[in-house]
Amino acid sequence: MTRSAKGTVGQPGKNVAQKSGLNRAILAQGWGLLRQRTEQKAPGRVEDVPAPYTSLRCSACGWIDKNSRKSQAEFVCSFFGFTCNADTNASINVAAGQGGIPRSRRTAGAGGVTTATGRSSAREPQPTWVGIPLF
């Protein structure tokens, strides 16, 4: 997100000053602190999902192909034929913990068991009862 605007010193890109201001604003937000506080409020329920391949992976079969992104908004799996909005497909992959290193098709897909935690990603972990009745 904070990559510099394209261009050279001789021919700078468009809106370079605006992009540098945006980069400063993004970096000043303190995303690490947000993650730390979220982990404090929901211990054990925060999972880091690597961003690579989340928008290229089919959420139905796990196939990764850059040709599956037909446009900014359209995703059509080149192997399985699954059609979906590209942002919806990526959000399903993020929710299932399917990012980063490409995995085999058997372990990929929404609702499956992620290799990072070994738990089902279909539902959130539920609190365990310690014997104190909550009336």
Side-chain angles (χ1 to χ4, degrees):
M1 287 175 47
T2 58
R3 188 176 288 170
S4 66
K6 296 200 184 263
T8 62
V9 175
Q11 293 183 337
K14 297 179 180 179
N15 301 326
V16 175
Q18 290 88 346
K19 177 64 175 159
S20 66
L22 176 65
N23 289 347
R24 273 194 303 275
I26 290 172
L27 293 172
Q29 294 305 312
W31 296 107
L33 185 60
L34 173 68
R35 191 216 177 280
Q36 180 183 5
R37 295 249 171 99
T38 307
E39 178 66 36
Q40 290 171 353
K41 297 224 178 238
R45 294 174 55 187
V46 177
E47 181 180 344
D48 292 331
V49 178
Y53 303 110
T54 54
S55 64
L56 301 178
R57 177 189 302 277
C58 176
S59 60
C61 70
W63 186 258
I64 298 173
D65 186 14
K66 66 180 180 179
N67 296 326
S68 294
R69 285 293 295 266
K70 299 297 180 187
S71 68
Q72 181 67 25
E74 184 181 7
F75 181 88
V76 178
C77 179
S78 60
F79 181 77
F80 189 63
F82 174 72
T83 303
C84 186
N85 180 288
D87 292 336
T88 304
N89 181 63
S91 66
I92 292 170
N93 287 330
V94 169
Q98 304 292 326
I101 300 170
R103 299 182 188 132
S104 66
R105 281 176 286 187
R106 287 178 296 209
T107 60
V113 175
T114 62
T115 56
T117 62
R119 296 185 314 223
S120 174
S121 59
R123 71 184 275 246
E124 294 181 344
Q126 301 298 310
T128 56
W129 296 102
V130 291
I132 303 170
L134 302 173
F135 292 42

